Amino acid sequence: MNGPPWHDKLVWPAAPLPAWQDHTARQGDERPHNPPAPTARPPADPKGHWFPLAVCMLLAAAALVLNGYVTNVGGETQAPPPSTDSPTPELEKVRRGGPVLNITAKGPASARLPARTIALTFDDGPDPAWTPQVLDMLKKYGAKATFFTVGSKVAQYPDLARRIVAEGHELGNHTYSHADLAALPAWRLKLELSLTQRALAGATGLHTTLARPPYSSTPAAISGPQWAGMKALAAEGYLVTLTDLDTKDWSRPGTANIVASSLPARGRGAVVMMHDSGGDRRQTVEAVGAVLRELNGKGYRAVTVTKALGMPSAHQPAGGAERFAGSALNLAQRASEAFAGVLAWVLLAAGALTVGRLGFFAVLAWVHAARNRGGRRRKGRAPVWSAPPPVTVIVPAYNEAAGIQATVRSLVETTYQGPLEILVVDDGSTDGTAELAQALGLPGVRVIRRPNGGKPAALNTGIAQAAHELLVMVDGDTVFEPATIGHLVRQLADPTVGAVSGNTKVGNRRGMIGRWQHIEYVIGFNLDRRAFELLDCMATVPGAIGAFRRSALVALGGVSAETLAEDTDLTMALCRAGWRVVYEEKALAWTEAPTSLGQLWKQRYRWCYGTVQAMWKHRRAVLEPGPFGRRCLGYLALFQVLLPLLAPVVDLMAIYNTVLGDPLPVVAVWAGFVVVQALTGWYALRLDGERASALWVLPLQQFVYRQLMYLVVIQSLATALLGVRLRWHTVRREGTFSDSGPAAPAPHGIDGAERFADAR
């Protein structure tokens, strides 16, 4: 390594700093400085937001459950199966009786309609398309009818229920979700009836004493299970109404056939069953007019069921509490329907955006890789240095004893031929980081000690002390490949380039968490950053590996301490100042990733919170000329903030559909996304020279890891909105690259990198 000889083996204090620099460093004091004792307890992470989040999730779950319950609504889709059981004497008597059943403890009694009296009944409504047409036809002929309504449809269309009552017709209970009473447990049967009564009370202020079981027909068709359900209806105080003439209009047999099935023989009275919902009811509407015309000519009267039997009206006024509860139920159902509908479109859009993003970024990555193979960048062929320029490497370090020596060694062992100085800026470490760096005694290395002030202050100290224009910044837990510095500096030969992002790779990928992060890093660097360069919207030059022009940083006032993501903040500031920021895939750095969920949470929480801060700080960039603000901030807001906020609901819907619905669509969608991710992941691994076998953990990434990532976003947004300020801190290091750590020293070269990956 070539470098100024007077830098060798010296430990330097922080020198006087420029105006933009932190002023807490003590000139001439070479002792390590511990952080000053806090005068007040630092604010803790916000906790209370988890309660409203849980409430929101419960409300969303309730809305989905209610909507799922309601969507079970259906019309008559099949004829009731013929009874094959051995009837009891009681059931035999019912089968021979009339269509209106009064079932008491003493036994069932039935009634038939008097001669020349017809009770038209309509099931499964109200329906916004067909119920009004049926009502218009009844009004035209001065007829009254009985509507056996489905409670969920009453809640959905309360105006139609009110119109039915206002025009003198009668309402009956047809359950809330058109459930087959013969197959329901007792609690569900009571719930179906009760919910329908509440829906009626909320819509019309009335209750009803009439009920008709779904999938029923004439008394002769009653099966044993159906009879048990009817007795349960009677126990709830209902008058069970079946039919004399089942038109089977649900099968759309033709208007003439419906009319023929509706006409009683020889002047008899009859209860006629039709449907005003559940499908195309055009034939039914036409048949109603034809039946009424013909029966009017024969002296028939068309009245409600209770009117035909000379009974009091089935309508009973509901109490105030029942009306309020019913109105709340109806409102909740309509809200749940709207929520589910909007959510379905939102999730469809989110899925399309996610898949589209992956495909678009893969194409851009291919373009970027193709240009690099030809030695070209977006602005034309990249210039070259006439001679290797001098470079200063800055290593900010706070309690990095586990890896600082490996980091410094990897920098000293570089193949870069230009003058090089290495500044290790110890930010008040308490674990002997500075002593370990100094003990190496390597040429060209200076150790600068300063009181604890945070990573931006440490970086600014290094910038102020740097002897050269070109700066390379590397974290204290990261090791460089020998050729990395040269690859970074090569891009700075272009005078329009203000910063270069290198390619960070996970060194400790042995466990499941490490493997997940390995895939994430490879995709993030070899797809995202390639695309960001081409789109001129690079959001972050990572602290682990980046190269900068010192003059550009000084012009910005140094590294800002206003956000916790100083690397993102700095990159955005450079882009807004007109500098290009590019990606160099050959500049490899190996970093130690968190090995536990707790450490991973701590790291990503800080990253995400700092990114939100940086987005807010640079929000005015969307109004500035150039594509950076709109592209970068728009991308981050959509894919890093908004879509993760929707992720909990996605999981909730997946669980709900899997447990209570058909799991196959959920599995198919999940498998489709995994396939798309695997294809893009395979391409990213291929671009990075990594083996595709790492993708076997990708399906498992959807569990635990994915949830952790979106919970981090929620926590970060809550922290930002509540004004809680986080402090710079490091995660626990295991010394992956140290001689005594769990891994071998840093690799050398691309082939060595692959061997290093295999060793893990």
Side-chain angles (χ1 to χ4, degrees):
M1 185 198 73
N2 299 322
W6 45 269
H7 283 173
D8 294 353
K9 303 180 182 179
L10 294 179
V11 180
W12 286 67
L17 306 178
W20 49 264
Q21 169 63 305
D22 182 277
H23 293 280
T24 58
R26 303 176 187 177
Q27 183 179 2
D29 188 351
E30 300 181 4
R31 297 172 298 171
H33 296 276
N34 295 328
T39 58
R41 178 178 297 178
D45 291 345
K47 303 292 184 183
H49 65 286
W50 294 118
F51 176 74
L53 174 64
V55 171
C56 289
M57 292 299 292
L58 287 174
L59 290 175
L64 292 175
V65 169
L66 178 57
N67 188 70
Y69 190 82
V70 168
T71 53
N72 188 42
V73 173
E76 295 283 357
T77 57
Q78 60 183 7
S83 176
T84 58
D85 52 3
S86 300
T88 63
E90 182 182 55
L91 180 53
E92 280 285 6
K93 178 182 177 181
V94 171
R95 287 177 175 175
R96 294 191 300 268
V100 183
L101 303 177
N102 183 18
I103 307 170
T104 65
K106 297 179 180 180
S110 64
R112 297 182 186 276
L113 270 61
R116 300 197 181 278
T117 301
I118 188 172
L120 294 178
T121 62
F122 298 91
D123 291 3
D124 299 347
D127 182 276
W130 305 111
T131 301
Q133 296 186 43
V134 170
L135 289 171
D136 291 342
M137 194 64 70
L138 293 172
K139 186 176 183 179
K140 179 179 179 181
Y141 290 95
K144 305 300 177 185
T146 301
F147 290 79
F148 288 95
T149 55
V150 174
S152 58
K153 292 192 174 183
V154 171
Q156 191 174 10
Y157 309 110
D159 291 343
L160 290 178
R162 285 192 287 270
R163 180 182 171 185
I164 291 171
V165 173
E167 295 184 3
H169 304 290
E170 196 166 46
L171 296 172
N173 192 329
H174 202 48
T175 74
Y176 192 77
S177 64
H178 202 271
D180 186 357
L181 300 186
L184 296 184
W187 69 267
R188 171 76 185 278
L189 185 147
K190 292 182 179 180
L191 179 64
E192 289 280 331
L193 300 174
S194 175
L195 289 176
T196 303
Q197 292 285 29
R198 282 178 168 77
L200 289 172
T204 67
L206 299 172
H207 286 162
T208 182
T209 58
L210 293 181
R212 172 175 283 169
Y215 308 103
S216 63
S217 181
T218 63
I222 299 174
S223 66
Q226 285 178 326
W227 175 239
M230 292 177 189
K231 289 195 290 185
L233 282 177
E236 296 296 317
Y238 289 94
L239 191 67
V240 180
T241 306
L242 302 178
T243 186
D244 290 302
L245 301 174
D246 184 357
T247 64
K248 295 183 175 60
D249 61 334
W250 50 266
S251 64
R252 295 194 291 277
T255 301
N257 288 330
I258 296 175
V259 172
S261 301
S262 304
L263 298 176
R266 296 185 293 276
R268 294 174 181 171
V271 176
V272 180
M273 179 187 291
M274 296 182 177
H275 298 81
D276 63 329
S277 184
D280 186 347
R281 296 292 175 250
R282 186 177 295 106
Q283 295 177 4
T284 300
V285 174
E286 295 171 352
V288 169
V291 168
L292 290 174
R293 283 195 300 272
E294 184 163 345
L295 291 180
N296 282 349
K298 295 180 179 180
Y300 272 79
R301 60 178 185 142
V303 295
T304 64
V305 170
T306 57
K307 184 73 171 178
L309 296 174
M311 298 174 56
S313 172
H315 294 162
Q316 297 179 350
E322 287 291 328
R323 293 187 182 190
F324 178 80
S327 298
L329 172 64
N330 296 348
L331 179 61
Q333 181 188 305
R334 293 195 296 274
S336 69
E337 180 187 23
F339 173 75
V342 170
L343 188 62
W345 282 106
V346 168
L347 295 182
L348 179 63
L353 284 170
T354 301
V355 173
R357 169 194 168 277
L358 289 172
F360 182 54
F361 275 30
V363 171
L364 291 179
W366 177 82
V367 172
H368 184 277
R371 290 185 178 183
N372 282 355
R373 283 194 296 269
R376 299 183 64 83
R377 287 285 178 177
R378 184 175 181 183
K379 301 298 182 180
R381 184 171 299 278
V384 296
W385 296 103
S386 58
V391 174
T392 296
V393 180
I394 303 173
V395 187
Y398 173 68
N399 287 347
E400 297 286 2
I404 190 63
Q405 290 189 331
T407 298
V408 174
R409 284 197 193 97
S410 72
L411 298 173
V412 172
E413 294 172 3
T414 181
T415 58
Y416 185 66
Q417 296 301 308
L420 186 70
E421 71 168 345
I422 300 170
L423 306 181
V424 178
V425 184
D426 180 69
D427 191 51
S429 298
T430 59
D431 64 349
T433 297
E435 288 78 3
L436 288 171
Q438 178 184 358
L440 290 173
L442 295 174
V445 177
R446 276 198 294 160
V447 178
I448 303 174
R449 306 185 185 191
R450 52 161 293 116
N452 179 261
K455 188 175 182 181
L459 289 171
N460 285 332
T461 297
I463 294 171
Q465 295 291 323
H468 307 307
E469 164 68 5
L470 302 187
L471 307 178
V472 173
M473 297 181 185
V474 53
D475 284 342
D477 62 342
T478 304
V479 297
F480 273 16
E481 292 275 351
T484 293
I485 295 176
H487 287 305
L488 288 172
V489 171
R490 178 174 67 90
Q491 297 300 333
L492 290 171
D494 185 342
T496 67
V497 174
V500 183
S501 168
N503 183 1
T504 306
K505 302 172 73 63
V506 174
N508 54 331
R509 59 182 79 164
R510 181 179 304 164
M512 185 64 68
I513 296 176
R515 289 185 172 95
W516 283 336
Q517 292 177 88
H518 164 52
I519 295 176
E520 182 184 37
Y521 271 58
V522 170
I523 293 176
F525 278 93
N526 288 281
L527 291 187
D528 294 2
R529 276 177 171 77
R530 292 175 188 268
F532 291 155
E533 179 187 328
L534 295 182
L535 295 174
D536 285 334
C537 63
M538 188 78 71
T540 306
V541 173
I545 175 172
F548 303 86
R549 295 185 187 275
R550 184 178 184 276
S551 57
L553 301 186
V554 172
L556 293 175
V559 181
S560 173
E562 295 177 358
T563 73
L564 212 57
E566 75 291 328
D567 47 5
T568 300
D569 186 0
L570 180 61
T571 306
M572 290 183 177
L574 285 169
C575 291
R576 293 181 68 186
W579 293 100
R580 290 182 58 223
V581 179
V582 300
Y583 169 64
E584 175 52 66
E585 67 272 17
K586 295 181 181 179
L588 298 179
W590 297 81
T591 190
E592 179 179 320
T595 56
S596 69
L597 291 178
Q599 293 294 313
L600 181 62
W601 171 276
K602 183 183 297 185
Q603 181 195 69
R604 298 309 173 89
Y605 180 23
R606 178 173 62 84
W607 288 1
C608 185
Y609 174 80
T611 300
V612 171
Q613 287 180 307
M615 291 171 62
W616 179 253
K617 177 181 176 181
H618 295 281
R619 63 191 181 277
R620 297 187 184 278
V622 298
L623 303 177
E624 296 172 352
F628 169 76
R630 290 178 291 278
R631 292 178 184 175
C632 179
L633 296 184
Y635 173 86
L636 292 176
L638 181 60
F639 289 101
Q640 303 298 326
V641 177
L642 182 59
L643 292 187
L645 291 180
L646 295 175
V649 184
V650 174
D651 287 351
L652 185 64
M653 289 189 69
I655 294 172
Y656 173 74
N657 288 326
T658 301
V659 174
L660 300 179
D662 184 1
L664 290 181
V666 177
V667 174
V669 171
W670 174 79
F673 272 106
V674 170
V675 168
V676 173
Q677 286 181 317
L679 290 174
T680 53
W682 168 82
Y683 184 59
L685 289 166
R686 183 171 179 269
L687 287 175
D688 209 28
E690 294 277 1
R691 293 184 176 180
S693 58
L695 292 174
W696 73 268
V697 301
L698 189 60
L700 301 177
Q701 199 177 41
Q702 303 301 312
F703 308 99
V704 180
Y705 191 82
R706 174 176 167 273
Q707 286 72 25
L708 184 76
M709 293 301 103
Y710 68 62
L711 289 176
V712 161
V713 175
I714 294 171
Q715 175 78 2
S716 300
L717 288 176
T719 303
L721 292 174
L722 294 175
V724 179
R725 183 84 173 180
L726 295 183
R727 294 174 60 83
W728 180 48
H729 57 268
T730 59
V731 297
R732 185 182 67 251
R733 306 300 183 192
E734 296 185 357
T736 297
F737 308 110
S738 65
D739 294 336
S740 59
H748 298 286
I750 299 297
D751 294 335
E754 190 157 350
R755 291 194 298 272
F756 179 76
D758 294 341
R760 275 149 190 80

